[in-house]
Amino acid sequence: MVNLPNDDKSCGWYSVLPTPEPAKKLVGTQKADYAIIGAGFAGLAAARRLAELKPEARIILVDAQRVAEGASGRNSGFVIDLPHKFSLEHPDPELKKKLLHLNRTAISQLQGLVEQHNIDCQWSAVGKYQGAVGERGEEHLSHFEHLMKNLGEPYHWVEKAELSSVLGTNYYSRAIFTPGSYLMQPAALVQGMGNNLPENVELFEESPITDIQKLNGNWVLTSNKGTVITPKLLLGTSIFTREFGYLKNRLLPVMTFASWTRPLTDEEMKIYKGDLNWGLTPADHAGTTLRMTADRRILIRNTYKHVPKYGKSISDETRQWVQTDHRKAFLARYPELAGVPLTHTWGGVYAISRNFTNFFGELEDGVYASACDNGVGAAWGTISGTLLADLVVGADSQDLRDIQYVTDMPSLNPPEPFLGLGVKFRINLAKWQSRSEL
C-alpha cells in the first residue's frame, strides 16, 4: 500500500498563482522510452535533459498532484549556492568545492529557463542574510565566518543599524551577508517550468503511481486509470522513494512550516520602513527563516515535525498551533504591524538522512533516483535531476563525476519505535536550545 502525498491546500505560494488548465491525467496504457515519477525540481530537470539528449524519444513525466503543489512549490524561495550548513563542516575541501560548483551550475540553468520562457517568479540575484538574534546566534555566525574563510568565498558582516534598515526591524543583532544566493517564488517557478517542457515530454498530473513492477524486461507503472510501460524509470520522488521499496530504512520524513501575510498596504509600508525582496536564514539552524517578498508579503518559517505518514501526520489543529507560534515570531519582529494578519500557513515534507548524505544513482537494473535533498531542494534537485538523465543515457561529464563524488548511501535508521522517539527528541532538543533565536 503506497502512502501518497497528502499536502494541505493552504500553501500561500500556490494560492496566488493563476488557475491552471485542467490536468491531463494518465489514462489507458502508455509506452515510453523513459518515464519519470515526480514533477518537482528533480523530475522536471531530468525530463528536460532527457529530451535534449534524446529528441526522438517519448518521455513521460507523471505526478500525483498538480505541478507546484508538492514540496518543490512549498519552500521559502531560496536558491542557495553555498553547501548546506552540515556540508560546510565536511573535512574534505574538495567535496565542498564540488558542491559549490554544482549548485552554481543549477542556478545558471534555472536563470536560463526563467529568461528563455519569461517565467514570472520574482527571480532575483539579491544574495541572502544569515542573521543572529543574540549571543548564541552570534557564536554560530563566528563559526560560519570561519567556514567561509576556509572555503574562500566572499561575505561581509552587517551590523545592527544597517541590518534594521533593510529588514524593517531591530530584532536581529548582526548578520553575515553572502552574495551568491537567489530568491524566487517557488510555486511560480516550478509551474512555469512545467508549462514549458520540451515537445517530446508528456506530462500527466493528478495521476498517483501506486505500484511499479518489472514485467518482460520493462517497468510497469500503475495508476488508478492507466499504466506506463518503460525500460527506464527515473524517480524524482524524494521521501516518497521509500514507498516503492527503495531506500526504505534510510530516509527520514520531516515537515517544516511557513506562514505569510497579505501584501502590506502603502500605509503599512511606511510603518515597516524596510526594503523589499530580501531573505534571511537563521544563524542557528533551528531558528526562524524570514523573508520580505517582492510583492510586500512577510514570510515566517520555523517549526519541524517528524511526519511518518507525510501530510496525514499533521492535523488542522497542529497547523493552527503552528500559525500561533508564527504569529508570536512575527509580532516579536514587527509589533507595529500587529494589524496585519497571517493569511496562509502550510507545511512541506522533505527527506533527510542521518549522515546528511544525498543518494544519486541506479537503484536496480533500469531504475534510477535522486533522493534525499536534506532540505536544500531547489538547486540540488535541479542539478541532480539533470545529471541523473546523463547517467541514464551514458553521457559522461565532469559534473556527473562530481555529483558521484559528493553523494553516497544514506545511513540505515534504527527500527521503530526508537526512530520516531529519537527524531522527536532531537527536534524538541534543537527547538529548546535555539529558543533564544526563534
Side-chain angles (χ1 to χ4, degrees):
M1 191 72 181
V2 173
N3 291 299
L4 297 170
N6 190 48
D7 289 313
D8 57 64
K9 300 300 181 183
S10 58
C11 176
W13 297 119
Y14 191 81
S15 71
V16 299
L17 297 181
T19 302
E21 295 293 322
K24 181 178 180 180
K25 300 180 182 181
L26 177 61
V27 177
T29 299
Q30 307 285 339
K31 293 184 178 180
D33 298 292
Y34 304 92
I36 305 157
I37 303 176
F41 282 110
L44 289 165
R48 185 173 297 279
R49 180 61 171 164
L50 281 173
E52 177 185 344
L53 295 171
K54 298 290 182 179
E56 303 304 318
R58 186 186 187 204
I59 300 158
I60 285 180
L61 174 61
V62 61
D63 198 279
Q65 303 179 101
R66 298 306 304 265
V67 170
E69 273 192 321
S72 289
R74 290 171 172 268
N75 62 63
S76 296
F78 293 84
V79 191
I80 298 173
D81 61 335
L82 295 170
H84 192 269
K85 293 180 179 71
F86 301 105
S87 297
L88 270 176
E89 296 176 340
H90 199 282
D92 181 2
E94 195 65 23
L95 180 140
K96 289 183 277 194
K97 290 178 182 178
K98 291 180 186 299
L99 281 171
L100 188 63
H101 168 73
L102 290 168
N103 288 341
R104 287 179 173 163
T105 300
I107 289 172
S108 177
Q109 181 178 327
L110 289 170
Q111 178 161 336
L113 291 172
V114 169
E115 294 172 353
Q116 178 185 354
H117 299 294
N118 296 312
I119 299 173
D120 182 11
C121 63
Q122 303 177 26
W123 181 264
S124 48
V126 295
K128 79 173 183 71
Y129 298 89
Q130 190 152 320
V133 176
E135 184 178 345
R136 177 180 170 86
E138 291 195 26
E139 289 176 0
H140 281 279
L141 283 185
S142 296
H143 180 56
F144 180 64
E145 178 184 36
H146 171 72
L147 296 173
M148 293 298 290
K149 285 180 178 179
N150 287 344
L151 195 59
E153 284 297 308
Y155 70 93
H156 69 261
W157 284 92
V158 184
E159 301 301 333
K160 187 180 182 76
E162 180 186 355
L163 189 61
S164 64
S165 71
V166 173
L167 307 184
T169 175
N170 61 7
Y171 189 76
Y172 292 89
S173 57
R174 300 179 84 191
I176 287 178
F177 177 82
T178 51
S181 293
Y182 284 60
L183 296 178
M184 47 78 178
Q185 208 279 39
L189 175 57
V190 174
Q191 189 181 79
M193 292 191 294
N195 289 341
N196 291 280
L197 287 165
E199 290 184 1
N200 59 329
V201 177
E202 194 164 359
L203 172 64
F204 296 103
E205 299 174 275
E206 295 182 348
S207 302
I209 300 300
T210 55
D211 184 61
I212 59 174
Q213 293 187 23
K214 196 160 193 180
L215 183 64
N216 299 325
N218 284 314
W219 289 97
V220 180
L221 288 55
T222 303
S223 186
N224 56 345
K225 293 185 179 180
T227 59
V228 179
I229 301 172
T230 182
K232 301 287 185 181
L233 172 61
L234 291 75
L235 299 177
T237 44
S238 186
I239 186 61
F240 297 98
T241 306
R242 66 184 196 160
E243 295 300 325
F244 300 111
Y246 300 110
L247 307 175
K248 196 166 183 64
N249 299 311
R250 298 179 183 274
L251 305 180
L252 293 167
V254 174
M255 185 176 284
T256 186
F257 299 86
S259 297
W260 75 3
T261 68
R262 58 162 169 71
L264 300 188
T265 65
D266 289 346
E267 284 303 311
E268 289 162 350
M269 286 298 297
K270 292 176 183 177
I271 296 170
Y272 160 69
K273 296 180 182 178
D275 292 343
L276 287 177
N277 200 33
W278 50 260
L280 178 144
T281 57
D284 187 331
H285 70 272
T288 295
T289 294
L290 186 66
R291 273 201 62 188
M292 166 58 89
T293 66
D295 58 351
R296 299 184 172 187
R297 300 174 188 269
I298 297 174
L299 181 148
I300 298 279
R301 189 193 75 176
N302 60 40
T303 309
Y304 297 84
K305 294 288 184 183
H306 178 224
V307 285
K309 294 184 179 180
Y310 317 120
K312 288 184 179 179
S313 298
I314 302 299
S315 65
D316 289 339
E317 289 77 15
T318 300
R319 272 186 290 274
Q320 187 58 54
W321 172 80
V322 168
Q323 186 178 96
T324 299
D325 264 14
H326 287 172
R327 182 71 179 166
K328 291 176 183 177
F330 173 75
L331 292 176
R333 290 158 175 80
Y334 301 103
E336 67 279 11
L337 295 174
V340 180
L342 297 178
T343 58
H344 297 79
T345 296
W346 65 94
V349 64
Y350 61 96
I352 63 173
S353 60
R354 291 174 61 232
N355 57 350
F356 301 103
T357 294
N358 310 82
F359 179 85
F360 173 92
E362 190 170 14
L363 291 163
E364 64 172 298
D365 185 34
V367 181
Y368 303 80
S370 169
C372 197
D373 57 33
N374 285 297
V376 285
W380 181 258
T382 298
I383 193 62
S384 65
T386 300
L387 295 174
L388 194 66
D390 285 6
L391 178 67
V392 171
V393 304
D396 187 31
S397 68
Q398 184 59 53
D399 284 349
L400 179 58
R401 291 191 290 274
D402 284 351
I403 201 169
Q404 290 170 325
Y405 183 95
V406 302
T407 53
D408 205 344
M409 181 62 73
S411 296
L412 278 170
N413 297 325
E416 294 289 5
F418 305 106
L419 175 62
L421 292 171
V423 174
K424 184 176 181 180
F425 173 78
R426 288 291 299 273
I427 289 174
N428 288 336
L429 176 63
K431 182 178 180 180
W432 183 83
Q433 291 175 328
S434 306
R435 63 195 183 281
S436 62
E437 294 293 310
L438 289 170

